[in-house]
Amino acid sequence: MKANFRLIKPANLLKTFGLLFCFFMASIGYAQKSPNIIILLSDDTGWGDLGPYGGGEARGAATPNIDRMANEGMQFWSFYGQPSCTPGRAALITGRIPNRSGMTTVAFPGDGGGLPKAEWTLASLLKRKNYNTFFAGKWHLGEEDYSMPTAQGFDVMKNVTLYHLNAYTYADPDWNQDMPKNLRERWAKGTKGALDGEAGKPYREVRKLDGKAIPYIDQYTEEESLKWLKENAKKDKPFFMEISFAKNHQPNLPHPDFAGKSAGQNKYADCIVELDTRIGRIMDEVRNLGIAENTLIIYTVDNGTWQDVYPDCGYTPFRGTKGTVREGGSRIPTLAWWPGKIKPNSKNSDILGTLDFMATFAALSGQELPTVDREGKPTIFDSYDMSPVLFGTGKSKRDMWFYFTEDELTPGAVRIGKFKAVFNLRGDGGMYTGGLAVDTNLGWKGPQSYVSIAPQIFDLWADPQERYDLFMNNFTEKTWFMPNIQDVIAEFVKTYEKYPPHKVQSNLYPGPTKIDEFIMFKHVQEKLKALTTEKRSGGG
């Protein structure tokens, strides 16, 4: 029987073709576009310096754009990074604790190494779902070609810097007049400037960086990010951007447009105002482009606050600084914004961290986390999907947090629920940092110092500043907490057997090796060699 098309009304015909078109589009995966995702990352920014966390105007550095983001989105109160730059950025981008990737120590110019090519990153994960990907600003995850953003899933990288901000002052004679000529030449040769690049092509150095260039470094990151955003906002593909501002790491040198513009009238406060303005311009562009309702924006920080370089440093109400396993070393300000999806002015106190971006972005892009790395070997992630928290449909599945300093394979502190056990007392044994100081804040300057038998135990709800050790005292004791800690660490250590960590990527000299340590190491080597020889000869 032939269809009588003359009997079908034009309006019905259009509806029919419309339904068929929608069905076709759905069948090829375009019915529900995955969200655009933007991470806005700043460096060393103090928890208490931002308006939503009690700072802003109250600390002489107004943050109206960050305040608006919090008012329109979600603010996190128990959100964690890592205790320093390179580990913090590695954990964020891989969803794995830093010692799994080998990215445990701060990378210096000429240090070599970098993020292993076997690691999955947020960008390489999202590329599996056809995302356009972009990185701008501070990378700090190595110098080798395989560790560059464009080798790690990003289509484009702009104004990429490989080191902490003050590394660009080392060879600058205006900063270090007393540096010997041969050392200056060595630093200048080994320090790469700002880099641009595209995936599959060699990267290129677009400008040298020194103390005079630092004030302008975040301007270039903003400009390049806005340009790429405008070009990609209306494309069929979703996009992922990581925009990483190099400030507020010391030395804080504000852009001339912001110098002296803060009420605080100091360099750090000026840089906070600069950071807030640049974040505001990016968010305004998202609004102006009409893509806000399909764009998740997260603002976060790489690590806890560095307090000991007054006045070029941030403020945290917590004990300790970056470089320690105290709350001040890892607890970071974080906001999430997605109009129509995240309830405005919402607050969350669940235990979460930058590790959780990996599982979250996998869920939002409609995929499972990989079970093998990019070289086909079994892999594991330390990441939980936080989308139920973002959408107000559930609680965080994470109930604990492990704190690590640079060379710790097992955690130096552990939080489970509201209780925290601290084994590494680093930073607590020095001189006070001021006449009215309430704590000793040595950070990296403090030696590793481990308790011999019993850790310190704190109730982070009643005592977030970790002042009152509850392990045993005259009104209560929390010794019952210890078996629980032992169990979770023992379970955690098993993962190293099945998923061995990568070698440490930094070549920085860690300090002297003791004679007894060398003898023991040599003895172990000889025993392993003997066992290997025995097995090869058929004896084992």
Side-chain angles (χ1 to χ4, degrees):
M1 179 178 176
K2 293 182 179 180
N4 190 349
F5 285 101
R6 288 178 294 179
L7 298 178
I8 301 176
K9 295 180 180 180
N12 291 335
L13 190 62
L14 286 173
K15 288 180 180 179
T16 301
F17 279 121
L19 289 171
L20 288 172
F21 178 77
C22 289
F23 176 79
F24 171 74
M25 294 300 286
S27 68
I28 61 173
Y30 288 103
Q32 182 66 47
K33 183 182 178 184
S34 296
N36 306 312
I37 301 172
I38 301 175
I39 292 178
L40 301 170
L41 182 64
S42 65
D43 199 345
D44 281 16
T45 309
W47 166 288
D49 295 321
L50 306 178
Y53 293 89
E57 290 185 6
R59 289 189 52 76
T63 56
N65 295 294
I66 292 174
D67 296 354
R68 180 181 177 184
M69 185 179 187
N71 290 333
E72 295 178 355
M74 177 173 285
Q75 180 178 3
F76 297 96
W77 290 91
S78 295
F79 205 93
Y80 291 93
Q82 303 294 321
S84 62
C85 299
T86 298
R89 291 160 190 276
L92 180 153
I93 207 165
T94 65
R96 286 156 49 87
I97 57 173
N99 54 37
R100 295 197 193 280
S101 61
M103 304 299 290
T104 58
T105 58
V106 173
F108 276 74
D111 207 24
L115 189 66
K117 57 186 177 181
E119 291 288 334
W120 285 101
T121 66
L122 297 175
S124 57
L125 179 87
L126 293 173
K127 286 301 295 181
R128 302 200 307 176
K129 287 295 182 176
N130 215 25
Y131 271 69
N132 289 329
T133 54
F134 171 87
F135 184 92
K138 181 179 176 180
W139 180 242
H140 211 180
L141 291 174
E143 294 179 312
E144 301 296 341
D145 289 354
Y146 62 75
S147 69
M148 293 294 159
T150 45
Q152 294 285 350
F154 290 98
D155 299 320
V156 176
M157 68 183 205
K158 292 289 186 179
N159 193 46
V160 166
T161 57
L162 302 183
Y163 323 108
H164 42 287
L165 200 59
N166 52 308
Y168 298 104
T169 68
Y170 292 163
D172 189 335
D174 292 337
W175 286 77
N176 292 298
Q177 298 93 335
D178 55 350
M179 180 180 285
K181 182 180 178 182
N182 63 324
L183 281 183
R184 190 183 309 283
E185 292 173 350
R186 178 182 174 185
W187 276 113
K189 183 179 180 180
T191 303
K192 297 178 181 178
L195 308 175
D196 286 0
E198 297 79 35
K201 300 178 182 178
Y203 62 83
R204 54 198 176 275
E205 187 177 69
V206 292
R207 69 183 66 86
K208 290 288 184 182
L209 295 176
D210 56 17
K212 293 179 283 296
I214 288 175
Y216 303 92
I217 201 164
D218 285 347
Q219 173 190 338
Y220 298 128
T221 293
E222 178 200 323
E223 291 173 349
E224 295 290 359
S225 298
L226 288 173
K227 180 180 178 181
W228 192 90
L229 176 60
K230 292 173 185 177
E231 292 172 352
N232 286 267
K234 299 297 184 179
K235 292 183 178 180
D236 291 336
K237 295 181 180 181
F239 65 78
F240 168 58
M241 304 179 73
E242 184 175 336
I243 304 170
S244 179
F245 295 108
K247 305 169 192 176
N248 300 92
H249 192 291
Q250 60 103 10
N252 281 279
L253 300 177
H255 187 281
D257 291 349
F258 296 92
K261 295 300 173 65
S262 69
Q265 292 292 295
N266 64 69
K267 295 184 297 180
Y268 183 82
D270 291 346
C271 287
I272 287 287
V273 172
E274 179 180 349
L275 170 71
D276 179 79
T277 302
R278 299 198 187 285
I279 286 175
R281 289 171 182 165
I282 290 166
M283 297 194 68
D284 283 345
E285 191 61 42
V286 170
R287 295 182 183 102
N288 294 337
L289 289 167
I291 59 172
E293 292 186 356
N294 197 45
T295 302
L296 168 63
I297 301 181
I298 295 174
Y299 166 75
T300 193
V301 185
D302 54 353
N303 49 250
T305 310
W306 184 228
Q307 296 168 284
D308 283 353
V309 283
Y310 177 87
D312 297 336
C313 56
Y315 166 74
T316 174
F318 303 115
R319 184 173 181 174
T321 72
K322 62 182 289 191
T324 74
V325 297
R326 299 296 188 184
E327 291 299 287
S330 296
R331 202 187 290 208
I332 56 176
T334 299
L335 308 170
W337 180 90
W338 189 352
K341 293 289 177 36
I342 295 176
K343 183 180 177 181
N345 199 30
S346 51
K347 317 288 183 185
N348 182 270
S349 295
D350 293 355
I351 300 173
L352 293 162
T354 56
L355 284 169
D356 298 322
F357 294 159
M358 180 64 79
T360 305
F361 295 177
L364 293 177
S365 61
Q367 58 179 311
E368 299 290 330
L369 286 174
T371 57
V372 295
D373 66 19
R374 293 168 72 192
E375 293 181 342
K377 297 178 182 178
T379 192
I380 187 174
F381 294 92
D382 303 288
S383 188
Y384 290 84
D385 176 14
M386 55 188 274
S387 55
V389 175
L390 297 176
F391 305 144
T393 60
K395 299 282 288 181
S396 170
K397 294 180 180 178
R398 180 187 290 283
D399 63 354
M400 69 180 69
W401 189 262
F402 293 152
Y403 307 72
F404 298 90
T405 56
E406 304 93 85
D407 57 358
E408 290 174 338
L409 194 62
T410 56
V414 179
R415 177 180 178 179
I416 302 178
K418 69 173 185 174
F419 290 110
K420 178 180 180 180
V422 178
F423 299 89
N424 185 356
L425 309 183
R426 183 181 192 176
D428 282 357
M431 295 300 293
Y432 289 95
T433 55
L436 298 178
V438 296
D439 196 11
T440 53
N441 296 315
L442 288 181
W444 283 309
K445 291 182 286 184
Q448 304 278 24
S449 176
Y450 293 95
V451 293
S452 57
I453 299 174
Q456 295 177 341
I457 294 179
F458 301 96
D459 179 346
L460 292 181
W461 287 0
D463 177 28
Q465 291 181 312
E466 301 172 79
R467 292 177 181 234
Y468 302 100
D469 181 6
L470 301 178
F471 185 82
M472 186 175 291
N473 53 51
N474 64 353
F475 68 92
T476 186
E477 63 170 282
K478 303 298 179 187
T479 53
W480 53 264
F481 191 53
M482 279 305 298
N484 194 23
I485 291 289
Q486 291 169 340
D487 290 345
V488 299
I489 292 179
E491 193 65 27
F492 167 73
V493 168
K494 291 178 183 177
T495 66
Y496 290 133
E497 298 175 15
K498 187 175 181 181
Y499 309 100
H502 289 278
K503 68 176 183 178
V504 175
Q505 294 299 299
S506 174
N507 296 319
L508 193 64
Y509 175 57
T513 301
K514 296 179 181 178
I515 295 173
D516 59 342
E517 292 173 343
F518 175 76
I519 293 172
M520 183 178 293
F521 177 67
K522 187 175 181 181
H523 174 67
V524 170
Q525 275 191 319
E526 289 172 350
K527 287 197 71 172
L528 288 172
K529 186 177 180 180
L531 285 171
T532 304
T533 304
E534 185 179 349
K535 284 185 178 181
R536 286 176 179 170
S537 63

